[in-house]
Structures are given as C-alpha cells and as structure tokens.
Amino acid sequence: MATARWSFEPGHTAAEFSARHMMITYVRGQFKNVHGFLEVDPDAPEQATVEATIDATQVYTGQPERDAHLRSADFFDVEHHPTWTFTGSRIHQVSATEYEVTGDLTIRGTTRPVTFDVTCLGQWDTPWWEDGRNLGTRRRAGFVARARINRHDFGVSWNDVVDRGGVVVSDTVDVVVDIEAVLDTTAPTV
C-alpha cells in the first residue's frame, strides 16, 4: 500500500495541558486550531512521520490575567516564540491501535525529545462541505496523543514558593492532543 497524507483539521484538533497549581489542584489550558499532518503507509506504520504546529499566542485557560501571564516571558514568551512545533519520526507500534511516537518538541525555542502515547480512535467516511456545497465524502481519522513533560526542560521556569515549602506551579505538565485528520485526496502518494 502507498503512503497517505492526512492533514489535521484545525477546527477539530486541539491541545490541552494541565499542571498542578498551589499544590492542591490542577489548572488546565488549551490551544485550538492545531495545524499538522501525518504521512503513513498502513502496512509500515513504523515509518510514519508527523508534524504539528501550535500557535502559543492563543493560549486559553478561562482567566484573561492568567492567559496574559502565560504569554509573557515568565512562561511561554510568545513575543519571541509564538509557535511550538513537534516533528515525530520514530514510531513504535504497541498494539493494533496504540503507538509510541517519539520526536522533537520545540517550546520557547528549546528543542527536546518527547514520546507521545498515541491511540488511534478509528476512521470514518464523512460528508465534506466547502463554500456551502457538499463535495461528497472524505475519510477522517481520530487520534489522541498524551505525554508528560518537565517544563524546565524548555526554559519555562517561573515559580514562587507557598506556605510549607510548596510551589505555585508543578514541574511536570501533562499534554493531551486531540486530532481529527482528513485524508488528503490531492497529495501524490509515494
């Protein structure tokens, strides 16, 4: 079988992060409109490649003051580093629907290797509309990718101490990316 290109549908692909806050709860934030693609031969998934880009300027936690602080040089420094990227090229198939995807994650201009645990949620043929016209069906696939990173590895090191030696923000951050990808019927296959 030939390699196929799947493009992330930005309106249905998003990333979420969560970090411990004040030692007692979690704060969650999200990024909508994640762009990217997956190139894969279904008969050789270990040779797949994936690329994703997140617009860090669009961070949303539900609290404007916190969002502004996250965009500042204390955290994401979006003035100098407005996008985050992931390029994955080392794929290990764990089961029929589970994969480990290792690649280079760049946040704040710092690149580190990260492994995402990826679950393929399935494929489905769905209606495809453009400019109010039904153009027939297109194949979609769903994935969820999870990783745990240490924010200090990427230079995101602001913190403050709270009572009894606690900290405001945990070192580890959980990342979840929900992906809806559309099979590109116009891209040539290899």
Side-chain angles (χ1 to χ4, degrees):
M1 196 173 249
T3 299
R5 182 179 176 103
W6 296 79
S7 297
F8 296 179
E9 189 171 34
H12 295 105
T13 300
E16 179 181 276
F17 63 88
S18 64
R20 290 280 302 270
H21 181 252
M22 298 288 190
M23 308 298 294
I24 58 171
T25 191
Y26 287 89
V27 167
R28 288 171 174 75
Q30 58 185 231
F31 303 94
K32 298 289 191 179
N33 297 313
V34 175
H35 294 264
F37 67 87
L38 165 68
E39 290 182 343
V40 61
D41 177 343
D43 295 327
E46 67 282 352
Q47 295 175 17
T49 59
V50 61
E51 291 187 16
T53 302
I54 290 175
D55 181 354
T57 68
Q58 298 300 309
V59 64
Y60 176 78
T61 65
Q63 186 181 48
E65 295 83 12
R66 179 173 44 226
D67 295 349
H69 192 201
L70 288 172
R71 285 190 289 272
S72 78
D74 283 346
F75 286 95
F76 303 156
D77 193 13
V78 300
E79 182 178 340
H80 298 103
H81 308 286
T83 59
W84 299 352
T85 60
F86 178 77
T87 303
S89 59
R90 293 178 300 283
I91 316 299
H92 172 69
Q93 187 168 3
V94 178
S95 73
T97 59
E98 305 287 326
Y99 302 85
E100 294 173 344
V101 178
T102 301
D104 293 326
L105 178 63
T106 302
I107 297 174
R108 239 183 107 117
T110 301
T111 303
R112 297 282 185 260
V114 171
T115 298
F116 281 87
D117 295 320
V118 179
T119 302
C120 178
L121 302 173
Q123 296 182 22
W124 202 260
D125 291 327
T126 63
W128 186 260
W129 289 77
E130 286 183 17
D131 299 322
R133 294 185 4 237
N134 184 346
L135 300 179
T137 60
R138 295 280 295 272
R139 169 88 20 169
R140 294 176 192 261
F143 304 90
V144 63
R146 294 178 173 86
R148 177 169 282 170
I149 62 173
N150 185 317
R151 64 190 180 91
H152 297 285
D153 291 345
F154 299 93
V156 182
S157 298
W158 179 90
N159 220 337
D160 203 359
V161 177
V162 294
D163 191 31
R164 296 185 304 236
V167 293
V168 174
V169 183
S170 63
D171 294 345
T172 58
V173 178
D174 290 323
V175 179
V176 177
V177 185
D178 291 299
I179 302 162
E180 184 173 305
V182 178
L183 180 61
D184 187 344
T185 59
T186 62
T189 56
V190 178

